Amino acid sequence: MDVEFLIGADGVRSVVRQALYGADNPTYTGQMVWRALLKSENVPPESLEPHGHTQWIGPGRHFIAYYIRGGKLVNVVTQQDTDAWVEEGWSTRGDPDEMRLSFPNPEPRLAKLLALITECSKWGLFTRPIAPNWGRGRIQLVGDAAHAMVPSAGQGACQAFEDAYILGRWLAACTDPVDAFTNFRRIRIPRVHGVQRLSLANNRFKHMHDSAKQKAAIASGTGVDGKVDWVWGFDPVAQWDKDPVVPAVYASETAVDTAASIS
């Protein structure tokens, strides 16, 4: 069957990407993630006050919880360094007691959240190369198929949404899909690569083993979730055809090591 073009939006294990570029050989980070969903009615409100989300960071691990689905549920995630091999996947059933042990000696509010967990899932965290291999000719990859990233900046799905909107605008603006895809990659790749590096830097920062240095960075406002207006302030409706603004620290291949100490 002849098609005008092909968009590969088939996720981190993209068949389209593999057909174009072969296996991508993901690298295990030595970290694993636990996830649980709680009914909001069972969660003490003070656990998430005052902003509806909370985060704990400790040596080799971090925890985050926030409301989803209009406040009906609370998404709870812990991530820890581990010497064990954990397979990549998102549906492997975990043991709630083991999830609780991923954040030992919790302070009281955190302990309450962890005590509520009765079911959880787990998976190993893997990285893939940051590369411009997003497609060619009449084939275009988007989302995780093009640019999977570690979940330490909360941007995986967000960047996929940006892809969808901006790609749609370029397809509407260009008579030739090849031109649309070329322009899409020109605009999107620098920004998304910057976000990928930010995510890696955040991941390293959250798992620092030097607690004093970590606390000092957080107190100074240069720690995790620091200066990221360039991420949150981006307006795809107004900027879909504009060259993106990416801070120099996230704009190069050497950015991650530098950014990990200041992001």
Side-chain angles (χ1 to χ4, degrees), residues 53-172:
H53 61 84
T54 189
Q55 184 170 188
W56 279 269
I57 299 174
R61 66 198 70 242
H62 74 274
F63 172 104
I64 188 168
Y66 51 89
Y67 289 114
I68 61 172
R69 299 184 189 175
K72 294 180 180 179
L73 297 175
V74 174
N75 189 41
V76 178
V77 177
T78 70
Q79 183 175 317
Q80 68 178 105
D81 295 348
T82 178
D83 293 328
W85 172 267
V86 185
E87 293 290 342
E88 185 177 37
W90 297 270
S91 59
T92 303
R93 183 177 293 275
D95 181 335
D97 287 333
E98 290 185 6
M99 181 176 179
R100 281 184 273 274
L101 289 174
S102 70
F103 224 102
N105 302 316
E107 65 92 44
R109 288 180 302 157
L110 174 54
K112 287 181 180 180
L113 285 172
L114 290 171
L116 292 170
I117 295 168
T118 58
E119 295 182 352
C120 64
S121 58
K122 65 179 182 179
W123 64 90
L125 193 63
F126 288 72
T127 60
R128 286 167 169 79
I130 296 177
N133 297 335
W134 287 25
R136 58 174 177 260
R138 293 176 177 269
I139 302 174
Q140 177 60 55
L141 301 174
V142 296
D144 280 351
H147 47 72
M149 61 187 73
V150 294
S152 298
Q155 282 293 304
C158 294
Q159 293 306 307
F161 287 135
E162 289 183 14
D163 282 352
Y165 179 81
I166 293 174
L167 180 57
R169 292 295 299 265
W170 279 112
L171 284 169

Side-chain angles (χ1 to χ4, degrees), residues 130-132 134 188-198 250:
I130 296 177
W134 287 25
R188 290 296 292 156
I189 286 177
R191 171 171 169 78
V192 176
H193 281 186
V195 175
Q196 286 176 295
R197 295 180 183 118
L198 168 67
Y250 299 115

